[in-house]
Amino acid sequence: MARIVMKFGGTSVADLDRIKNVARHVKREVDAGHEVAVVVSAMSGKTNELVGWVQNTPKVIGANSPFYDAREYDAVVASGEQVTSGLLAIALQSMGINARSWQGWQIPIRTDNAHGAARIMEIDGADIIKRMGEGQVAVVAGFQGLGPDNRISTLGRGGSDTSAVAIAAALKADRCDIYTDVDGVYTTDPRIEPKARRLKKIAFEEMLEMASLGAKVLQVRSVELAMVHKVRTFVRSSFEDPDAPGMGDLLNPPGTLICDEDEIVEQEVVTGIAYAKDEAQISLRRLADRPGVSAAIFGPLAESHINVDMIVQNISEDGSKTDMTFTVPSGDVDKAIKVLSDNKEKIGYDVAQSESGLVKVSVIGIGMRSHAGVAATAFRALAEKGINIKAITTSEIKISILIDGPYAELAVRTLHSCYGLDKN
């Protein structure tokens, strides 16, 4: 017998028929004798609808204000998961399974006070563990918790993944199964490269890079939590027949296992290729090369909640001037330029230039730590296809390359092939 946390995303619980299918997945694990907790998202599209309701409601009586109370925003948008958890509990009960729904505040899942983007601080799983020991399935509303003000808080988009991994850690679960509309983690996006392969295993660090660099399979914070707490996490498809061969395999179910790298016996040099569209590049020309100039640039950007990624600095020949180039999401370009303009005197640059419509393509693999020539292979392959590189950043396990947007798919397919990821 094992203790398992199962998480189902919005497309998996999009309507009553799919909720019944989810209940069959849960019943399979219960019938196998496992203790089970289930974490659910809102029905597909429901959170967007709820957010729209909030945004289209007058915020201040008699005024056209863009502001609303974030605590009431959370109270509204958290209701989607409450509906799903109750419906799944009812579906399980109709199958003869002892099930009960739980909201974030009932467990409780304690968070900080950042309503709309709260972070989990503590989970007391004692009551759920007791109920699971008595044979009850806990159906938990994902994405939500309880703030220090005793108000409902929400964890931000993709927060149900984070809820599931955090609950798995609190319950000391043997594994956390993330059911989604794909059947695992692939070497790259199969919609771009049909030869992409599903990975049997991927290390936490690699998955963290994949998620942060554009892969949409898992939310970044959920992978961070899984890595910190060593929560073995399976990415699985909820659209597989719940009773298909192997679906109930405790050790090797179909899907991709995200685990510690020690569990991966044969490590590939490169594990996958990720990409992120809608990147923009900003260049500040002829800065004074002096201590504090970087802080003067990136401090105000951080205070304005603008996420800066690739940073490249070039020093002039005489060492007196420098150019600073960095990337931001395309949607933040105008905001970033304004922040820089407001601080121009303090920063001391000559001119600010920007370019949108770029793409960041990344090569990821823990095997890169012990192999030379990985970067050279990528640069050579892109050069042969006539793809110009605008910026490069590297770490121990990744190489990120900035290119023009129209070359994105060609670059992904080229890199996927040059590292042999299209071969079984």
Side-chain angles (χ1 to χ4, degrees):
M1 185 179 72
R3 184 175 294 162
I4 299 173
V5 172
M6 307 170 73
K7 183 266 174 180
F8 294 89
T11 54
S12 304
V13 293
D15 53 40
L16 292 179
D17 285 338
R18 289 190 179 177
I19 289 174
K20 290 173 185 174
N21 188 61
V22 165
R24 290 177 60 209
H25 280 286
V26 177
K27 186 177 187 298
R28 181 193 64 236
E29 304 297 352
V30 172
D31 289 346
H34 304 312
E35 293 182 351
V36 179
V38 188
V39 177
V40 290
S41 298
M43 292 178 173
S44 181
K46 178 56 67 175
T47 301
N48 286 339
E49 181 183 28
L50 295 169
V51 170
W53 289 353
V54 173
Q55 292 177 340
N56 291 318
T57 300
K59 312 306 185 294
V60 179
I61 294 175
N64 185 22
S65 169
F67 302 107
Y68 50 78
D69 190 319
R71 292 164 295 185
E72 302 310 329
Y73 168 91
D74 278 355
V76 174
V77 300
S79 65
E81 283 74 14
Q82 179 170 329
V83 171
T84 316
S85 60
L87 288 173
L88 180 55
I90 291 170
L92 289 168
Q93 290 168 4
S94 73
M95 295 177 172
I97 295 173
N98 180 7
R100 185 63 63 203
S101 66
W102 295 72
Q103 310 313 306
W105 61 268
Q106 291 175 300
I107 296 173
I109 299 173
R110 299 282 181 183
T111 74
D112 62 17
N113 209 27
H115 286 278
R119 299 188 75 87
I120 295 172
M121 309 301 290
E122 180 186 13
I123 298 178
D124 183 357
D127 203 4
I128 285 185
I129 291 172
K130 176 176 175 290
R131 299 285 191 94
M132 291 168 69
E134 295 169 355
Q136 187 176 94
V137 173
V139 185
V140 181
F143 175 63
Q144 60 177 251
L146 184 68
D149 53 2
N150 273 349
R151 304 288 306 185
I152 293 171
S153 57
T154 63
L155 309 180
R157 285 309 179 91
S160 291
D161 284 349
T162 303
S163 298
V165 173
I167 288 168
L171 301 182
K172 295 181 170 53
D174 294 283
R175 72 171 198 238
C176 178
D177 291 354
I178 305 288
Y179 286 82
T180 181
D181 52 0
V182 295
D183 61 352
V185 180
Y186 280 72
T187 49
T188 196
D189 188 340
R191 294 170 299 181
I192 288 181
E193 175 50 87
K195 294 180 182 178
R197 293 182 293 107
R198 188 179 74 192
L199 299 162
K200 278 186 168 296
K201 294 181 180 181
I202 183 171
F204 289 124
E205 285 182 84
E206 292 172 322
M207 190 66 239
L208 187 59
E209 293 286 6
M210 293 276 277
S212 64
L213 293 168
K216 306 296 185 186
V217 180
L218 284 176
Q219 200 245 17
V220 174
R221 278 166 58 196
S222 69
V223 184
E224 289 174 345
L225 269 176
M227 183 165 66
V228 169
H229 296 284
K230 305 294 185 190
V231 177
R232 300 174 81 250
T233 304
F234 275 95
V235 176
R236 306 179 63 176
S237 171
S238 62
F239 299 125
E240 294 269 1
D241 183 345
D243 300 315
M247 288 296 285
D249 188 332
L250 177 63
L251 299 178
N252 294 295
T256 300
L257 173 63
I258 305 166
C259 58
D260 195 278
E261 65 178 276
D262 293 341
E263 285 195 51
I264 303 174
V265 178
E266 293 186 20
Q267 295 173 351
E268 300 289 340
V269 178
V270 172
T271 300
I273 311 296
Y275 68 97
K277 294 183 177 180
D278 297 322
E279 295 284 314
Q281 179 176 272
I282 295 176
S283 296
L284 300 181
R285 302 299 184 189
R286 293 176 289 281
L287 289 153
D289 186 25
R290 56 179 172 75
V293 69
S294 296
I297 296 169
F298 299 115
L301 291 172
E303 290 168 7
S304 299
H305 306 289
I306 297 171
N307 185 37
V308 174
D309 186 18
M310 307 172 79
I311 302 173
V312 179
Q313 183 175 5
N314 297 312
I315 308 296
S316 64
E317 189 174 357
D318 64 5
S320 63
K321 297 289 183 180
T322 182
D323 290 344
M324 188 77 76
T325 300
F326 54 91
T327 61
V328 299
S330 288
D332 286 340
V333 171
D334 292 342
K335 184 179 176 183
I337 292 293
K338 185 180 185 310
V339 170
L340 294 168
S341 177
D342 291 345
N343 290 272
K344 183 174 182 179
E345 188 174 331
K346 181 179 178 183
I347 297 169
Y349 63 89
D350 187 13
V351 64
Q353 300 170 332
S354 65
E355 181 181 3
S356 298
L358 306 179
V359 170
K360 178 175 60 180
V361 182
S362 302
V363 178
I364 299 153
I366 53 178
M368 292 165 58
R369 289 172 177 158
S370 54
H371 287 78
V374 179
T377 299
F379 304 152
R380 188 182 309 114
L382 294 177
E384 289 172 356
K385 296 294 183 181
I387 300 173
N388 186 47
I389 297 173
K390 292 181 171 291
I392 304 162
T393 59
T394 64
S395 74
E396 269 192 320
I397 66 168
K398 80 150 193 297
I399 303 160
S400 289
I401 300 164
L402 193 68
I403 61 172
D404 288 318
Y407 292 99
E409 294 189 9
L410 176 60
V412 168
R413 289 194 294 268
T414 298
L415 294 173
H416 192 267
S417 175
C418 79
Y419 292 111
L421 296 176
D422 52 355
K423 297 180 176 62
N424 290 324

